[in-house]
Amino acid sequence: MPSNSDVLFRMLADPTRRSILDLLAERGPMTVGQLAAEFPDLVASGISKHLMSLRAAGLVSATRRGRQQIYRLEPRALAAGLAPWIAKYEQYWSAALERLRDLAEEDGAKEELTFGKNLRRKRLK
Amino acid sequence: MPSNSDVLFRMLADPTRRSILDLLAERGPMTVGQLAAEFPDLVASGISKHLMSLRAAGLVSATRRGRQQIYRLEPRALAAGLAPWIAKYEQYWSAALERLRDLAEEDGAKEELTFGKNLRRKRLK
DNA sequence: CCGATATATTACCGTCTGGTAATGCATTAC
DNA sequence: GTAATGCATTACCAGACGGTAATATATCGG
């Protein structure tokens, strides 16, 4: 019986699927065709399969419009699945997040760091 | 050419490897035998192989003492590898982390939440 | 030195996985 | 209606992966 975390991490294991999630996060909902266009090396049907498994994992959801299928990120699933794990390693993230904060402050941003609210990421490419 | 993130996420994809990291994080450095004892269903040599790949990925390091090999978590690698990715989804983590904060406050802990510093995890199993 | 212990290494195997190609099925355009 | 489009589904394949078993190597206890 694969646990909740298991499917989540297995989804994130594939770079193509991570890229798909990235695209949906950056650009908002996209059709299969739009997404497939971002992966010239892959066949469209492959992207469709990835989207199906992501949908099965609850990380994305889809709504039809005509013959297009519009996929969107399901952020709550991502956060809900990873947050406990992230919290477990809380003490170790702090160092890395401090460095992010420092980078932000070098840019003149003076906000107090509360992760998820004021954290700015700049010059991190 | 597998990117840095690729190896990291592939390491995290396997539940046994995640458990190993968890154990090292909770209990500190452990020998192969101690770790293997935590996985009754697996053969010790399998654990050794996992540790070798984790070591190759830089997530753990090892020092010999006699015939024992003591493995310890290499938290900087974990944090350095994941922090950029986590930051990318920053806005989505916030909601989940707020809920963690709420749980902590229900327990009477009044600390201000600054991720990585005061965040307490309780009753999260 | 000898046997036992601790880990690493190698060989090998079934299974899972990511990928393509081909086909099917709606839906839109003409 | 017919053709074309957009996506899903199926079948199939090569390679990677997790695991075991067997063997090797080094270290410790006596």
Side-chain angles (χ1 to χ4, degrees):
Chain A
M1 56 215 67
S3 110
N4 209 344
S5 287
D6 285 353
V7 290
L8 179 53
F9 277 102
R10 281 195 325 106
M11 285 300 122
L12 296 181
D14 184 68
T16 302
R17 279 188 303 256
R18 286 202 309 281
S19 296
I20 289 177
L21 295 177
D22 288 356
L23 284 168
L24 293 178
E26 295 172 6
R27 310 191 186 170
M30 299 174 70
T31 71
V32 178
Q34 289 174 326
L35 283 167
E38 300 288 331
F39 300 90
D41 304 355
L42 270 61
V43 169
S45 132
I47 303 297
S48 177
K49 262 178 49 170
H50 278 307
L51 287 168
M52 297 298 286
S53 44
L54 286 171
R55 193 165 70 91
L59 294 180
V60 303
S61 64
T63 65
R64 294 206 71 92
R65 198 169 57 187
R67 49 187 164 179
Q68 328 220 33
Q69 196 94 10
I70 303 178
Y71 281 87
R72 74 192 64 232
L73 188 63
E74 216 47 67
R76 299 184 63 96
L78 240 188
L82 272 185
W85 191 85
I86 290 180
K88 207 160 40 174
Y89 289 85
E90 169 226 342
Q91 51 178 322
Y92 301 129
W93 308 129
S94 58
L97 292 170
E98 300 266 329
R99 292 192 301 113
L100 291 180
R101 191 260 312 265
D102 292 344
L103 286 176
E105 285 186 345
E106 282 171 12
D107 280 347
K110 295 295 185 202
E111 307 94 352
E112 168 196 14
L113 172 70
T114 56
F115 187 73
K117 293 201 128 164
N118 304 326
L119 180 59
R120 296 281 183 275
R121 60 185 186 289
K122 295 182 178 173
R123 294 182 186 166
L124 282 185
K125 175 59 194 63
Chain B
M1 56 213 66
S3 111
N4 209 344
S5 287
D6 286 352
V7 288
L8 178 53
F9 278 102
R10 279 199 327 104
M11 284 301 122
L12 297 181
D14 184 68
T16 303
R17 279 189 303 256
R18 284 201 310 280
S19 297
I20 290 177
L21 295 178
D22 287 356
L23 284 168
L24 292 177
E26 294 171 6
R27 310 191 187 170
M30 300 174 72
T31 72
V32 179
Q34 290 174 327
L35 283 166
E38 301 288 331
F39 301 89
D41 304 354
L42 270 60
V43 169
S45 133
I47 303 296
S48 178
K49 263 179 49 173
H50 277 307
L51 286 168
M52 298 298 288
S53 45
L54 286 171
R55 193 164 70 92
L59 295 180
V60 303
S61 64
T63 66
R64 293 207 72 90
R65 198 169 58 185
R67 47 186 165 178
Q68 330 220 34
Q69 196 94 17
I70 303 176
Y71 281 86
R72 75 193 63 234
L73 188 64
E74 217 45 69
R76 299 183 62 98
L78 240 190
L82 273 185
W85 191 85
I86 289 180
K88 208 160 36 173
Y89 289 85
E90 172 225 341
Q91 50 179 322
Y92 301 128
W93 308 127
S94 59
L97 290 170
E98 300 266 330
R99 291 192 302 113
L100 289 180
R101 190 260 312 266
D102 293 343
L103 285 176
E105 285 184 346
E106 283 171 11
D107 279 347
K110 295 298 186 201
E111 307 94 354
E112 168 196 16
L113 172 71
T114 56
F115 187 73
K117 294 200 133 166
N118 303 328
L119 180 58
R120 296 281 181 275
R121 60 184 187 286
K122 293 180 179 174
R123 295 184 184 164
L124 282 185
K125 177 58 194 69

